[in-house]
């Protein structure tokens, strides 16, 4: 790996900390606002946050066959939302198929 977060070529760390020019598509203000409303304080806290994460257990270690990353409660909530959406999509698909088979007329 690398010895410093800013050394990783694909990292936005340098742009977030003002060490490099941020590309126009990178929302630095939005992320830094999570740390403070004052930019210098936000950058300091962001650096501390990143530093605290170094040598910690990977967040990906417990991820198994799931598309959501979060605690059990969050994953359950998202799975329920997905079930609702899937049910709605299946219903719409069948409705569209019936209309298409009937030449655009609703089935009786």
């Amino acid at each position: 790996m690398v010895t410093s977060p800013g050394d990783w070529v694909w990292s936005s760390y340098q742009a977030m900390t003002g060490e490099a020019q941020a590309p126009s598509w990178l929302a630095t203000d939005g992320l830094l606002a999570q740390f403070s409303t004052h930019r210098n304080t936000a950058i300091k806290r962001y650096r501390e946050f990143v530093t605290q994460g170094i040598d910690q257990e990977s967040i990906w270690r417990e991820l198994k066959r799931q598309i959501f990353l979060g605690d059990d409660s969050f994953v359950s909530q998202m799975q329920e939302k997905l079930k609702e959406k899937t049910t709605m999509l299946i219903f719409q698909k069948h409705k569209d198929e019936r209309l298409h088979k009937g030449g655009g007329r609703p089935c009786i």
Side-chain angles (χ1 to χ4, degrees):
M1 281 289 193
V2 295
T3 56
S4 169
D7 293 342
W8 187 40
V9 71
W10 300 110
S11 174
S12 60
Y13 182 84
Q14 288 185 354
M16 295 303 299
T17 59
E19 297 170 37
Q21 181 69 35
S24 60
W25 50 262
L26 184 61
T28 56
D29 293 340
L31 178 63
L32 290 174
Q34 304 303 307
F35 294 92
S36 176
T37 56
H38 303 287
R39 190 167 189 81
N40 289 339
T41 304
I43 290 171
K44 179 179 182 264
R45 290 179 181 166
Y46 172 76
R47 283 185 173 137
E48 291 169 355
F49 174 78
V50 171
T51 300
Q52 289 171 2
I54 296 173
D55 295 328
Q56 295 294 314
E57 183 177 326
S58 172
I59 60 172
W60 306 111
R61 188 174 157 278
E62 296 294 323
L63 192 66
K64 294 180 179 78
R65 299 182 63 201
Q66 67 190 62
I67 58 173
F68 303 111
L69 181 61
D71 64 17
D72 291 341
S73 173
F74 174 79
V75 171
S76 294
Q77 288 175 10
M78 294 302 107
Q79 287 172 334
E80 281 303 312
K81 287 183 184 227
L82 186 60
K83 283 180 193 173
E84 292 168 12
K85 273 258 200 245
T86 302
T87 301
M88 289 171 37
L89 290 172
I90 291 170
F91 176 75
Q92 184 63 44
K93 180 180 179 214
H94 289 301
K95 181 179 171 186
D96 291 347
E97 287 172 354
R98 287 194 312 262
L99 286 173
H100 180 67
K101 287 178 184 175
R105 298 184 317 269
C107 297
I108 301 176

